Amino acid sequence: MIISINQFSTGMPDFLSARDTCHLLGISRATLYAYVSRGLLESRPGPDHRSRLYLRQDVERLAQRKQAGRGEARGAAQSLDRGLPVLETRISLIRPDGPYYRGRSAIEEVRAGASLEDIARLLWDCGEDDPFTMPLSAWPDPVAAIAGNADLPPLERTMAAIPLLALQERHSFNSAPQVRHRVAGTLLRQNAALLVAQPPSPWPVHRLLAHTWRPGDEAFEDLVRAALVLCADHELNVSAFAARVVASTGAHLHATVCSGLAALSGPRHGGATARAYALIAETLQAASPRDSIAARWQRGDDLPGFRHALYPHGDPRAAELLERLRTHAPDAATLRALDAIVETTEEISGQRPNIDFMLAAICHAHRLPATPALVMFAAGRLAGWLAHALEQQAQGGLIRPRARYAGAPPATQE
């Protein structure tokens, strides 16, 4: 039997013991440990270093899910937070060994040397059509001043310019697949150029980004290529869902790109790379990195860049990038420090790095600021947003879920 949350709310500390957690959720100790192993709950060391404590907000969230009842309403509510599938897609599949793009392993595609453009053709189901053969024009006058302004943050610069580019696109609403692929291909490269305040370039996206940050470094260029491919899509994540909702209205591809960028701008999505970068910087500067991580964990602070709800045993994308970074890191001392952070964090918390940590780690290893981590994420993920937009508009139908009202009832008429 699940206990009402209100019975525990008054004076409840930030952490719960295993006994109170089991009582609140109405489960056994064995089930509690299973929840932890599946990534549904996190445990932290108790005051005696033998017991375990559980974050109150996580326990309450799980209890609310269990109390929501069964049936359609419960399923719909749970679907909004990594719950039940709500849409059919042929684009990507998430498995324990990483994402698959139309049935092909993203990690194997990286190892085979695929570029972001190769993956875009796959995700967009282009077949023999190559949407990247069209020449790129210079920025139109209304866009040029914004596009070249490196003082603007990358997402804001890009979101300001793309609606103006849409005004120059004569085929925005053309439904022919080859035309839409061409528009998407142009957008992919324009987006990358805007993110780094460069002119439109026929170069592959990974080369443009790497040349902007570390010109002439071929090993770094290949690392950027791998990161872009691994970031290209991740099923129905927040930004992909936002793009898909906008696409369902019949809006053009430029509008769907802006919706994805807007969703990415939040600290709980794209901003996670900056938080991971800050965690690495703080830990590297600490007198004792181990003590710094342990103190965060004991305080109940989160560890940005670690743990992924869909990969409870570790994010395979991060593992692939870490191995590549170990092979080509320019600074052995920094790499040893990054390895120590990964090993210490797993030892203390049981958490392994995710893709956000690795994008930030790549920047630290190459003496770059935090911004390129976000840019790699945004440049790569655009391929997925466009894939979802193309698929949604081909399927037709408006995405319009219903809300379950939980507010005050209407006033009774006397």
Side-chain angles (χ1 to χ4, degrees):
M1 179 179 180
I2 302 170
I3 306 301
S4 170
I5 291 175
N6 290 334
Q7 295 179 31
F8 283 86
S9 294
T10 304
M12 191 182 200
D14 290 336
F15 292 92
L16 297 173
S17 67
R19 178 177 177 276
D20 287 343
T21 300
C22 289
H23 192 50
L24 177 60
L25 296 175
I27 58 175
S28 66
R29 289 288 182 101
T31 301
L32 173 61
Y33 301 148
Y35 281 179
V36 173
S37 68
R38 289 162 53 196
L40 296 176
L41 287 174
E42 291 183 13
S43 69
R44 307 196 179 193
D48 60 3
H49 299 288
R50 292 190 302 274
S51 61
R52 307 296 292 180
L53 297 177
Y54 303 85
L55 193 61
R56 172 185 176 179
Q57 64 182 26
D58 288 349
V59 176
E60 287 186 345
R61 186 183 301 114
L62 190 56
Q64 287 168 352
R65 285 187 181 183
K66 292 169 70 68
Q67 289 176 333
R70 301 187 181 278
E72 294 180 359
R74 179 192 179 204
Q78 290 187 355
S79 295
L80 296 178
D81 186 11
R82 301 181 180 92
L84 302 175
V86 295
L87 288 172
E88 287 189 357
T89 181
R90 297 176 182 271
I91 297 170
S92 65
L93 168 70
I94 296 175
R95 295 180 56 177
D97 59 338
Y100 281 71
Y101 301 152
R102 293 193 181 272
R104 290 158 64 171
S105 165
I107 291 174
E108 290 303 320
E109 290 297 311
V110 166
R111 294 172 181 172
S115 67
L116 181 62
E117 286 81 357
D118 294 329
I119 296 303
R121 284 187 284 264
L122 173 63
L123 292 174
W124 303 345
D125 197 21
C126 290
E128 297 301 317
D129 180 30
D130 187 352
F132 298 105
T133 58
M134 296 294 294
L136 293 174
S137 302
W139 297 127
D141 290 341
V143 175
I146 299 171
N149 188 345
D151 292 331
L152 294 173
L155 294 188
E156 285 74 8
R157 179 175 53 245
T158 306
M159 286 190 286
I162 284 180
L164 299 177
L165 290 172
L167 300 177
Q168 310 292 322
E169 179 55 67
R170 294 182 296 112
H171 303 291
S172 292
F173 295 100
N174 193 309
S175 61
Q178 287 191 346
V179 174
R180 294 174 65 72
H181 292 159
R182 183 191 64 75
V183 174
T186 300
L187 256 175
L188 186 82
R189 287 186 166 166
Q190 287 176 331
N191 174 74
L194 287 167
L195 286 169
V196 290
Q198 295 294 319
S201 172
W203 286 354
V205 170
H206 68 271
R207 182 174 300 167
L208 172 65
L209 301 187
H211 182 78
T212 301
W213 299 323
R214 289 181 62 87
D217 189 335
E218 293 184 3
F220 177 69
E221 182 179 310
D222 192 61
L223 191 59
V224 172
R225 177 194 64 81
L228 293 176
V229 169
L230 293 174
C231 287
D233 194 60
H234 209 232
E235 194 218 65
L236 208 57
N237 56 84
V238 175
S239 52
F241 185 67
R244 195 150 186 150
V245 169
V246 171
S248 78
T249 70
H252 53 69
L253 295 180
H254 293 71
T256 66
V257 166
C258 287
S259 64
L261 289 167
L264 197 67
S265 68
R268 296 176 64 186
H269 193 16
T273 56
R275 296 172 61 231
Y277 187 95
L279 172 66
I280 294 172
E282 174 188 314
T283 307
L284 291 177
Q285 294 167 7
S288 169
R290 172 178 291 276
D291 290 346
S292 176
I293 293 170
R296 289 183 65 99
W297 189 244
Q298 290 286 359
R299 288 195 306 266
D301 295 346
D302 65 344
L303 298 171
F306 287 86
R307 185 177 178 269
H308 195 294
L310 299 181
Y311 300 113
H313 302 298
D315 186 340
R317 301 169 300 172
E320 177 69 17
L321 287 178
L322 181 56
E323 284 303 311
R324 288 176 172 270
L325 184 60
R326 285 171 176 157
T327 303
H328 299 295
D331 182 348
T334 300
L335 180 60
R336 286 195 298 271
L338 290 169
D339 269 332
I341 292 174
V342 170
E343 294 167 4
T344 300
T345 302
E346 182 174 1
E347 179 184 334
I348 291 172
S349 68
Q351 297 183 3
R352 295 176 179 176
N354 58 33
I355 190 75
D356 301 314
F357 177 88
M358 283 313 306
L359 294 175
I362 288 171
C363 292
H364 271 284
H366 290 86
R367 299 289 191 267
L368 296 172
T371 299
L374 175 60
V375 168
M376 285 187 280
F377 196 108
R381 188 56 57 89
L382 188 94
W385 298 337
L386 290 168
H388 283 280
L390 291 167
E391 182 181 67
Q392 182 63 40
Q393 292 186 342
Q395 291 177 352
L398 184 70
I399 298 176
R400 201 294 190 190
R402 293 296 310 278
R404 182 170 61 87
Y405 181 68
T412 304
Q413 299 292 327
E414 295 294 338

